[in-house]
């Protein structure tokens, strides 16, 4: 985008609760070939078709509650300036953003600010066919704080399956039962183990556990059938035979539900580095499962940003150097790094677990054996990071929380590039680095697996961000530039991310635990050398880094230990690190951060509305072109998605 285009583009869309909704542009779309646009169109339709899957996975009452609240919202004919209606609108926007009645980060149930009597009165005014038959049950879920209070519970010592409200396990199923169920399936001598539980809900029938598999003819079939239909249409416009094979392989997996078919698809996908258009679609990341096994449904459709991909291609081209010079024990390094590919992409659509809140980078496949034998593919989503950056200008954050003017200038000059490089290193090399020792269970870290894996990738990125190799490779032009990311990371992990936590709560989300673990560990272990300080200036707490070089060494030491833990499957050591450094919050510092943020009026969470793609038909009704527009507001888009992409809303 030119400077004028960036200035004229309207990034800010909506603001409510602790959330700001932005929009992102898709630069370069109009310059794509006609068949590439058609391919993207059908891939975006396949992405949107899975929306209800994720909502249902997040809680079994989510879909009927969403439908009920939407019906009240659309049919309301009273005073829309009243406190009750405004509170209902806020609650509905939260449901849309969280893909259900739980906060996407804290996992806590949203607290409605309207009364139960108001809701019951409005439901009574709905047409008969729109009134739920189980209103009492739904009201109990909405208004009773003790009913299904947390989507994912990671509290130490809890039965995380039985106490989590996510809809990935059936009633009466316990953590011990699930671990025993899958433990009996696993063969630790298998060099190509499938990702057990990735695409299934575990339920109890006649006292025994079984899997309800997500597939055509199985669980979520109506949505998966629509996904398959659009993938079939997309295959007709594939850029090459390899891409067509990938799409057809994914279709096969959706039809069979066989995880070996998913591995076959994943390998083909990782090997395809030629196609400009790319996508992910399926049950992928496992953060929504308290045991880190079942994949949440998500999709991102994208195309390569050729110019910006230079830096990721340089990194992936030197992957072996980074692996060989890692500070971890050589036993845990990969002797030969295979198939690491990386690129910067332009997102065309976000869906499922990547919408409205989205990652800024991706590294897949997740299976360790595929990474080791076939490699992985890494992306950084630069039009999303650009939107975040542009929307944050002038919000007062740096003036409030960054310790002094020289540090603020450092962040102004180098944070955007070092932040992107941190993402590149995290996704491209961090997740693909290291190896498990033979016989180590990939799921050995159990409930702490996601936190420790994100910790490992972040540490890899932090360690190498300060390496002179990045100057040698031409990716940075100042050997001091890395300090911008180091300062921002320590400030965020030690302090400012606390704005996302409610008073009295622990840190539970995996990425937040990861950042807290790293920064608290480095702060603690650097005390004797005064590496990092928490200083009071004018009654406010600030982070001061006194020794950036030593801080890098600390990152390397922790990386070595985290890699050892994962490589050896040392669950107790991993659990101890998480519970010691990543969970508990200092209430005094927490209150200070919340108070200082309140004066800035900055939403701690951000997400996006998608562009809209409109097909253009020829004289005979055939698809001839696709137009992109950016004119939808947040409620309009969400109500359209509920109207046009909700094949599961009749499920009870």
């Amino acid at each position: 985008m030119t400077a004028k285009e960036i200035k004229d583009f309207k990034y800010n869309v909506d603001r409510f609760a602790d959330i700001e909704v932005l929009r992102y542009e898709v630069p370069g779309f109009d310059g794509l070939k006609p068949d590439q646009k058609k391919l993207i169109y059908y891939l975006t339709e396949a992405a949107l078709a899975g929306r209800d899957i994720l909502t249902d996975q997040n809680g079994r009452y989510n879909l009927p509650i969403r439908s009920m609240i939407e019906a009240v919202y659309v049919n309301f004919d009273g005073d829309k300036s009243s406190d009750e209606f405004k509170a209902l609108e806020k609650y509905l926007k939260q449901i849309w953003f969280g893909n259900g009645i739980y906060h996407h980060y804290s996992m806590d149930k949203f607290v409605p600010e309207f009364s139960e009597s108001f809701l019951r009165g409005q439901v009574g005014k709905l047409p008969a066919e729109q009134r739920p038959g189980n209103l009492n049950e739904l009201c109990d879920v909405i208004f009773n704080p003790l009913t299904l209070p947390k989507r994912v519970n990671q509290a130490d010592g809890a039965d995380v399956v039985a106490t989590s409200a996510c809809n990935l396990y059936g009633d009466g199923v316990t953590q011990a039962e699930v671990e025993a169920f899958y433990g009996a399936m696993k063969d630790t001598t298998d060099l190509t183990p499938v990702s057990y539980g990735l695409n299934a809900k575990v339920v109890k029938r006649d006292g025994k556990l079984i899997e309800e598999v997500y597939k055509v003819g199985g669980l979520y079939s109506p949505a998966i059938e629509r996904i398959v239909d659009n993938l079939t249409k997309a295959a007709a416009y594939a850029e090459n035979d390899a891409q067509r094979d990938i799409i057809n392989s994914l279709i096969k997996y959706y039809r069979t539900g066989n995880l070996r078919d998913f591995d076959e698809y994943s390998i083909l996908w990782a090997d395809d580095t030629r196609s400009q258009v790319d996508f992910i679609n399926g049950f992928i990341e496992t953060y929504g499962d308290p045991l880190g096994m079942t994949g949440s449904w998500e999709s991102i459709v994208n195309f390569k940003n050729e110019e910006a991909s230079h830096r990721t291609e340089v990194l992936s081209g030197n992957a072996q150097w980074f692996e060989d010079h890692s500070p971890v024990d050589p036993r845990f390094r990969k002797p030969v790094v295979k198939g690491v590919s990386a690129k910067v992409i332009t997102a065309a659509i976000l869906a499922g677990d990547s919408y409205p809140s989205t990652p800024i980078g991706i590294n897949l496949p997740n299976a360790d054996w595929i990474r080791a034998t076939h490699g992985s593919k890494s992306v950084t989503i630069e039009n999303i990071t650009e939107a975040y950056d542009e929307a944050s200008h002038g919000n007062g954050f740096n003036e409030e929380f960054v310790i002094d003017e020289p540090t603020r200038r450092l962040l102004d000059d180098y944070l955007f590039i070092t932040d992107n490089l941190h993402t590149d290193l995290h996704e491209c090399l961090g997740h693909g680095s290291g190896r498990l020792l033979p016989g180590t269970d990939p799921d050995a870290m159990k409930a702490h697996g996601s936190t420790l894996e994100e910790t490992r990738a972040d540490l890899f990125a932090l360690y190498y961000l300060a390496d002179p190799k990045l100057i040698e490779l031409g990716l940075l032009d100042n050997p001091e530039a890395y300090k911008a990311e180091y300062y921002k990371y320590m400030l965020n992990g030690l302090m400012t991310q606390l704005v996302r936590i409610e008073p009295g709560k622990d840190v539970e989300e995996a990425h937040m635990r990861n950042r807290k673990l790293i920064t608290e560990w480095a702060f603690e272990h650097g005390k004797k050398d005064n590496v990092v300080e928490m200083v009071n200036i004018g009654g406010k707490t600030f982070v001061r880094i006194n020794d950036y070089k030593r801080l890098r060494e600390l990152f390397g030491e922790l990386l070595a230990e985290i890699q050892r833990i994962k490589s050896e499957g040392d669950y107790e050591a991993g659990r101890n690190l998480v519970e010691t450094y990543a969970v508990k919050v200092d209430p005094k510092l927490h209150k200070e951060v919340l108070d200082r943020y309140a004066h800035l009026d900055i939403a701690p969470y951000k997400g996006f509305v998608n562009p809209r793609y409109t097909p253009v038909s020829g004289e005979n009704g055939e698809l001839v072109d696709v137009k992109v527009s950016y004119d939808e507001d947040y409620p309009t888009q969400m109500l359209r998605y509920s109207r046009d992409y909700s094949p599961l809303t009749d499920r009870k």
Side-chain angles (χ1 to χ4, degrees), residues 137-169:
E137 189 176 13
L138 297 185
C139 282
D140 181 62
V141 173
I142 293 170
F143 294 102
N144 187 342
L146 301 179
T147 300
L148 303 174
K150 201 169 193 68
R151 177 161 72 90
V152 179
N153 179 25
Q154 295 283 16
D156 190 38
D159 182 327
V160 297
V161 169
T163 60
S164 293
C166 61
N167 194 23
L168 304 179
Y169 301 97

Side-chain angles (χ1 to χ4, degrees), residues 10 19 35-36 57 96 107 147 154 208 289 305 365 422 481 608:
K10 305 300 182 185
I19 291 163
D35 278 2
Q36 290 177 314
Q57 285 183 304
W96 286 332
M107 308 292 176
T147 300
Q154 295 283 16
K208 295 183 179 180
D289 180 353
N305 181 331
H422 180 269
F608 295 90

Side-chain angles (χ1 to χ4, degrees), residues 368-592:
D368 284 296
W369 74 267
I370 296 179
R371 292 177 184 275
T373 57
H374 297 276
S376 61
K377 191 155 63 177
S378 170
V379 299
T380 301
I381 315 175
E382 191 148 297
N383 61 328
I384 295 298
T385 60
E386 180 181 73
Y388 281 134
D389 184 65
E390 291 298 326
S392 69
H393 285 175
N395 64 11
F397 174 88
N398 284 358
E399 289 74 15
E400 177 61 40
F401 286 103
V402 178
I403 190 166
D404 53 32
E405 183 57 30
T407 308
R408 289 192 284 272
R409 285 199 303 270
L410 179 72
L411 269 59
D412 286 342
D413 291 344
Y414 289 106
L415 185 57
F416 184 72
I417 180 58
T418 55
D419 222 8
N420 276 328
L421 271 172
H422 180 269
T423 302
D424 296 339
L425 286 161
H426 174 112
E427 300 293 349
C428 173
L429 302 180
H431 279 309
S433 67
R435 62 172 177 166
L436 303 183
L437 293 183
T440 298
D441 183 352
D443 298 317
M445 295 300 106
K446 301 180 183 179
H448 299 303
S450 295
T451 294
L452 292 169
E453 174 57 22
E454 292 303 318
T455 301
R456 191 178 70 91
D458 255 3
L459 285 165
F460 192 98
L462 289 165
Y463 180 78
Y464 277 117
L465 197 60
D467 200 287
K469 187 71 173 180
L470 297 191
I471 303 293
E472 176 190 323
L473 294 174
L475 299 176
L476 288 175
D477 60 7
N478 184 340
E480 305 295 303
Y482 77 93
K483 294 180 179 179
E485 180 67 14
Y486 272 31
Y487 188 86
K488 170 251 183 182
Y489 196 94
M490 293 299 294
L491 174 63
N492 187 31
L494 290 171
M495 282 187 62
T496 54
Q497 74 168 1
L498 295 179
V499 73
R500 298 180 169 190
I501 304 295
E502 293 182 18
K505 298 279 189 178
D506 291 338
V507 178
E508 296 204 36
E509 197 277 333
H511 296 81
M512 292 183 70
R513 283 188 168 190
N514 144 44
R515 291 187 288 267
K516 194 169 190 299
L517 193 163
I518 291 172
T519 54
E520 294 282 3
W521 188 96
F523 178 74
E524 177 75 20
H525 286 74
K527 275 185 176 179
K528 69 181 180 66
D529 298 322
N530 198 28
V531 177
V532 180
E533 289 182 280
M534 303 283 279
V535 298
N536 187 292
I537 301 175
K540 296 179 179 180
T541 304
F542 291 88
V543 172
R544 174 185 288 148
I545 301 177
N546 297 311
D547 191 338
Y548 282 91
K549 181 179 178 181
R550 177 60 185 144
L551 182 57
R552 187 204 181 200
E553 292 173 352
L554 289 169
F555 290 151
E557 291 168 16
L558 183 55
L559 172 59
E561 174 60 4
I562 295 289
Q563 183 63 63
R564 182 200 68 78
I565 287 169
K566 179 165 184 176
S567 295
E568 295 181 343
D570 188 348
Y571 171 76
E572 284 303 319
R575 184 192 64 80
N576 184 58
L577 278 176
V578 172
E579 294 299 330
T580 302
Y581 296 103
V583 177
K584 296 300 179 183
V585 175
D586 177 348
K588 183 178 178 182
L589 180 63
H590 190 191
K591 183 180 185 304
E592 178 190 334

Side-chain angles (χ1 to χ4, degrees), residues 301-316:
V301 182
N302 63 82
F303 56 92
K304 186 176 181 180
N305 181 331
E306 298 285 355
E307 181 178 353
S309 290
H310 169 72
R311 68 172 188 265
T312 54
E313 289 166 352
V314 169
L315 288 175
S316 60

Side-chain angles (χ1 to χ4, degrees), residues 281-344:
N281 184 302
F283 306 97
I284 301 171
E285 302 292 359
T286 60
Y287 305 111
D289 180 353
L291 293 181
M293 299 184 71
T294 305
S296 297
W297 192 89
E298 69 176 308
S299 183
I300 298 177
V301 182
N302 63 82
F303 56 92
K304 186 176 181 180
N305 181 331
E306 298 285 355
E307 181 178 353
S309 290
H310 169 72
R311 68 172 188 265
T312 54
E313 289 166 352
V314 169
L315 288 175
S316 60
N318 288 272
Q320 191 66 59
W321 185 92
F322 287 98
E323 185 75 1
D324 292 345
H325 291 81
S326 170
V328 308
D329 189 310
R331 293 182 301 140
F332 310 138
R333 299 179 198 156
K334 288 180 178 175
V336 178
V337 177
K338 295 183 179 180
V340 174
S341 65
K343 59 185 175 180
V344 176

